[in-house]
Each structure stands twice: as C-alpha cells, then as structure tokens.
C-alpha cells in the first residue's frame, strides 16, 4: 500500500482543527483579503504573528509550513526581481544601462514578495488543518444557497468526495499495471521525454478502461442504495457552529480593525 | 405460497441490442427468511435476475414482485427499500472516504433524520464487527472487511431481502468464509431473506434451496442434496459438484457403500466410520 497524502492535510487536534470548516473557509478568504488590504509592513507583521500562532498552536511548525512555498519559489523570485529592477521611485541606488535599482523599487519588491508569501501561508493554514472530507462538506454547505439558482452544489461535492475516495484505489491500480507491463518488457525509465511519454500509453489505456468500468459499477451500487441526487437528502454529520467559531470570527475582526487603523494612520 | 416475499412470474429481461433474452421466463417464489442460492455459469442470467430484484433492471416481460410491490420504473425506490444488494467488487461499491459515512450513505439518500442515521449506522457496524474501524479509510481495509462495510451499509437500511451478487468471488478464502458466515447469521438471526449468487459449491451446499440457471432459465431446483445428486446434469450445466460428492462417487466406484448425496466433510467422516464398522 502506497502512502498517499491527499491534499496537504496534517492530522492533529487543536482549536484550529475543531473549527467548523465553513468558518475556516470564510475566514481564510477574509484573511486573504486582509493581506491585500495591508499597506504597511506593520500590517504584514500582524498577519505573520497570526500565522505563527497557527503554526505553533497546531504543532505543524513554521518549518513545515514554509515547505509549501517551494513550488512558488520561482514566481516569488520573479516578482521580486521585476519590481526590484523595473520600478523607478525615489533615490537611485545603482544603475546598469536601462536597469536601475531605486529605494522605492527595493521597498515594493520586498513588499510584494512578503505579500505573496503571506498569501500562501494563510491559505495553507486552511488546507493543513482541514481534512479533505470536512472541506468538501463545508463547501457543499456554503454553496447550498446557490443551488436555488441552479448551481450544482451537491453534485460538485459528491464528485469531489468520490474523487477523494478513488485516488488511493487508482494509485494502487496504476502501480499494479505498471508492474504487469514491466513484467512484459515495458520500459518506463529510459529514453528521452517523448519516448517516455509514449511508454505511458500501455499504462494509461488499461487504467482508463478500468476507471470507466469502476465508474459504471459504482453508479449501479449508488443507485441500488437509493441515490437520486441531492434532493431530500439528509446528512448523518451535521455541521454546527460553536463558541470557538465566534471567537475565531472575533479575532479576525480585531485584525481588520487594527489593519484599518494602521492604514488610516499611515504607518510604514 | 401466498406469503412469498419474492414472486417471479415468467419474468424475462432482454438487454438492448441483444439477440437472446438474458433471463428467459423465470417463475420462482421465495419465502420470507429463506436462504436461496443461485448457481450457473457465466452469462447464465443469474446477475440479471438479481438486478431485477432491486429494480436496477426492469423486467421486459412477465412480473417480479418484491414484498408485494411490482418491480417497475415508478416503484424503483420502494423496491430498493425492501431489497438491498451487495455486489462483487468490494472497491466499486464504497462511496465515501470514511467507513461510517459510507454506511450512512443509503440512509442519507432516503432522508432519514441525522440522529436516527447515527443510531442505525452504529448498530449495523456492530452487527458486522466493524464498529472499531468506524473512522477508518476504506482503502486501508482488506477485501473481506470492505464487503462487511458494504453489508453494513445495506443492513442499516433494514431491508427484508438482501441479494448478494457473487459477493465472495473476489475475496481470499478467509474473507470469503467471513462474508458467507455473516450472510448466514443475518439470515438466521435477523430473519432477512438472502438470495446468494455464487460460483462456490461449498457455499451453495449450505443454502436452504438451490436453483441452477442456464441460458436464462431455471434448469434445476431443490434442496442442495436434491440438486447435487444429479451429478451428470450439474456437470453438463458447466458447474462443479461439491468435493465430497466427487469423493463419494469415486469411493462407490471403488466398492465402498457411501451414499451419493454426501455433501459435507462431517457427513463423509460419519459415513466412512459406518463403512469401517
């Protein structure tokens, strides 16, 4: 059995974990907006303090969270460089031909990089502390009002949870087919990119065929268990708001108040 | 039998575009609480028959009644509440990523109140011995355990009949025995009528009644003893006879006076002791 981590969920149990997924979804959006509102480094420091609290109250640790920045490193570096070299504002610090570094450029470059990093960290707080299942539940529940105007809220969350259910199954199957094809002389490791891509065909074809067969059987099994879409359906696990959801909303509201004050006072 | 829970009258089903009827005029009564085994080679129509019991397929002619309700497009959900179904592939019938959520799936579909679902799910999981794995991920379970979850999902809906469509075919011997014994217990203790489709003779031997299908028709019917004593016919229908019956035949050929209808190892041991005495 392969060790598959779906999403980035980091199992644990603390205040953040016990928050209602709906609260977490909404507050994460609020937090992202807050990152955009901030016009000062003090504002960023405030948000960073919050991220630090999240990292340490959950035992996830800042180091683990920073790992999530890796895939975005190039984008962050590029934004930084573009702002640094192309922005012309304030005193000139250095100049090579058309390229010049200004004090305003340095400030903007750092500012934008910090903003991007904070965006990633804030959204990570959500994905690290919320299991994919409760995330889907939360999204379904939040999208439910939209189903009145024909938005397929239930269908989307059903699709997401079935996808989550079948990821490990299909991974296992891929591995089985890969071994079977290797036993028949298939070579997945050598050759250039195109040759390797072509070598995937004998892997993908059986995998697709089997996925369709599975889908067919699953649909049959769901129908046999009285599935007929989202109408009239109940849920065993009801989402309920607790006092801690109120506390979390209060904390974010306080951060908003502080941020607006910082902006009004024009602090750096 | 007027109080039959399943009543088929000349029931037939033809798939779109197929030349022959997959089920070709089957008449059958099943009494409440009966354990009925259906045997037959691949393509004999036994799965098609089972799917009519659950309204997944609607008979193209003839009548199928489940708990007094005629199987039709309109009655599909009413029929499914009476007759649950467990399929062959354990992976392809589990919907949710958590055991107890999967168990709750059918009840959620029927709009049962949450507290009631909770209670019935706990009961059903206890019944199949999977209560302590309630929060596990199905992908971490063995095939036999997955089938037990599937059974719990059906049991939670409290059906009067459960149709098992080769539910042990993909399991290892231990899982197979577990699942079969569980079905027997549900049948004996809860009084749930079981329709057990299988390839395994040693399972069919322990049913109350066996029917053998071929080309969409019932070819043999009776108690396991009656059915399997027609060794030649059973073999001609592409099936095997239970190991002990083969042994009995060979022993008789060798001159030992063992009855032809010896089905189980225990019976054989007894008969051999008699021969020795």
């Amino acid at each position: 059995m392969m060790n598959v981590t779906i999403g980035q969920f980091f199992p644990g149990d603390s205040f953040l974990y016990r928050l209602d997924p709906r609260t977490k979804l909404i507050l994460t959006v609020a937090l992202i907006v807050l990152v955009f509102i901030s016009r000062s480094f003090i504002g960023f420091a405030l948000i960073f303090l919050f991220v630090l609290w999240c990292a340490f109250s959950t035992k996830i640790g800042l180091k683990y969270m920073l790992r999530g920045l890796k895939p975005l490193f190039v984008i962050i570096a590029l934004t930084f460089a573009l702002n640094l070299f192309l922005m012309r504002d304030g005193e000139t610090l250095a100049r090579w031909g058309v390229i010049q570094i200004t004090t305003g450029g340095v400030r903007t470059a750092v500012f934008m990089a910090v903003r991007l990093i904070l965006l990633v960290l804030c959204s990570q707080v959500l994905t690290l502390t919320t299991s994919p299942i409760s995330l889907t539940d939360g999204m379904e529940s939040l999208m439910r009002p939209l189903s009145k105007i024909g938005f397929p809220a239930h269908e989307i969350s059903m699709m997401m949870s079935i996808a989550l259910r079948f990821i490990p199954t299909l991974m296992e199957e891929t591995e089985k087919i890969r071994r079977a094809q290797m036993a028949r002389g298939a070579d997945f490791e050598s050759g250039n990119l195109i040759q390797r891509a072509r070598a995937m065909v004998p892997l993908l074809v059986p995998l697709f065929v089997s996925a369709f067969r599975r889908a067919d059987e699953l649909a049959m099994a769901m129908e046999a268990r009285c599935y007929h879409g989202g109408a009239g359906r109940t849920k065993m696990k009801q989402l309920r708001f607790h006092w801690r959801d109120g506390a979390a909303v209060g904390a974010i509201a306080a951060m908003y108040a502080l941020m607006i004050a910082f902006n009004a006072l024009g602090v750096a | 039998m007027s109080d039959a829970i399943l009543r088929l009258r000349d029931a037939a089903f033809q798939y779109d575009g197929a030349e022959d009827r997959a089920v070709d005029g089957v008449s059958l009564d099943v009494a409440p609480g009966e354990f009925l085994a259906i045997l037959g080679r691949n393509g004999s129509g036994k799965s098609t028959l089972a799917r009519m019991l659950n309204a997944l397929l609607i008979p193209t002619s003839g009548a199928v009644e489940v708990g007094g309700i005629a199987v039709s497009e309109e009655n599909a959900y009413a029929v499914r509440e009476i007759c649950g179904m467990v399929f062959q592939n354990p992976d392809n019938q589990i919907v949710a990523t958590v055991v107890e959520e999967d168990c709750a799936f059918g009840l959620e579909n029927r709009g049962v109140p949450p507290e009631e679902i909770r209670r019935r799910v706990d009961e059903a999981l206890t019944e199949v011995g999977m209560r302590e794995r309630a929060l596990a991920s199905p992908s971490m379970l063995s095939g036999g355990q997955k089938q037990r979850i599937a059974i719990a999902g059906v049991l939670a809906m409290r059906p009067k009949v459960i149709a098992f469509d080769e539910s042990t075919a993909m399991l290892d011997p231990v899982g197979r025995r577990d699942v079969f014994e569980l079905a027997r217990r549900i049948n004996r203790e809860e009084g749930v009528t079981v329709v057990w489709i299988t390839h395994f003779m040693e399972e069919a031997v322990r049913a109350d009644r066996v029917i053998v299908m071929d080309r969409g028709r019932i070819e043999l019917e009776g108690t396991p003893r009656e059915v399997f004593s027609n060794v030649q016919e059973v073999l001609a229908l592409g099936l095997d006879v239970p190991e002990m019956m083969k042994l009995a035949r060979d022993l008789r050929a060798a001159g030992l006076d063992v009855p032809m209808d010896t089905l189980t190892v225990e019976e054989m041991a007894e008969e051999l002791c008699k021969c020795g005495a």
Side-chain angles (χ1 to χ4, degrees), chain A residues 93-251:
Chain A
L93 295 173
R95 179 200 294 264
W96 303 275
V98 284
I99 296 169
Q100 56 177 342
I101 296 177
T102 61
T103 46
V106 172
R107 189 187 182 277
T108 315
V110 175
F111 191 83
M112 293 310 266
V114 171
R115 176 178 277 177
L116 275 173
I117 291 169
L118 282 179
L119 282 179
V120 177
L121 291 179
C122 287
S123 45
Q124 271 202 318
V125 171
L126 175 71
T127 52
L128 285 169
T129 62
T130 320
S131 72
I133 311 148
S134 50
L135 209 53
T136 6
D137 280 350
M139 283 166 85
E140 178 179 13
S141 163
L142 285 177
M143 290 188 298
R144 198 169 295 147
L146 291 176
S147 60
K148 288 210 179 67
I149 54 164
F151 185 79
H154 166 75
E155 285 76 5
I156 288 179
S157 92
M158 195 69 196
M159 271 157 54
M160 277 168 64
S161 69
I162 289 176
L164 289 170
R165 153 76 186 84
F166 277 91
I167 286 170
T169 311
L170 290 176
M171 298 269 276
E172 216 174 306
E173 182 148 43
T174 313
E175 186 56 24
K176 244 187 241 168
I177 299 172
R178 202 178 68 92
R179 294 219 178 116
Q181 299 291 33
M182 275 164 75
R184 289 166 176 78
D187 181 5
F188 295 108
E189 261 114 49
S190 59
N192 59 32
L193 202 63
I194 295 169
Q195 281 167 329
R196 272 203 243 174
R198 288 183 66 139
M200 295 304 275
V201 173
L203 187 81
L204 291 177
V205 172
L207 188 65
F208 266 83
V209 171
S210 135
F212 278 108
R213 202 190 50 236
R214 280 182 195 283
D216 200 37
E217 281 180 28
L218 183 73
M220 176 90 81
M222 284 169 71
E223 232 185 295
R225 287 165 75 184
C226 297
Y227 182 70
H228 50 87
R233 217 167 173 267
T234 48
K235 280 250 172 210
M236 175 171 72
K237 283 187 190 145
Q238 299 284 319
L239 294 174
R240 274 204 196 87
F241 289 116
H242 286 274
W243 61 268
R244 54 177 93 84
D245 295 291
V249 171

Side-chain angles (χ1 to χ4, degrees), chain A residues 73-107:
Chain A
F73 180 75
V74 179
I75 295 176
I76 294 169
L78 199 71
T79 327
F80 184 80
L82 284 176
N83 277 307
L84 186 65
F85 295 129
L86 301 178
M87 184 84 184
R88 275 160 211 199
D89 185 23
E91 287 170 52
T92 304
L93 295 173
R95 179 200 294 264
W96 303 275
V98 284
I99 296 169
Q100 56 177 342
I101 296 177
T102 61
T103 46
V106 172
R107 189 187 182 277

Side-chain angles (χ1 to χ4, degrees), chain A residues 29-49 107-108 110-116 118-119 122 255-268:
Chain A
V29 175
L31 209 54
I32 286 170
V33 172
L34 195 65
V35 173
F36 279 107
I37 289 177
S38 175
R39 279 186 293 190
S40 61
F41 284 104
I42 301 260
F44 283 159
L46 178 73
I47 297 168
F48 186 68
L49 268 177
R107 189 187 182 277
T108 315
V110 175
F111 191 83
M112 293 310 266
V114 171
R115 176 178 277 177
L116 275 173
L118 282 179
L119 282 179
C122 287
M255 283 172 71
Y256 262 83
L258 273 171
M259 192 64 74
I260 290 164
F262 288 156
N263 283 352
L265 294 171
V267 288

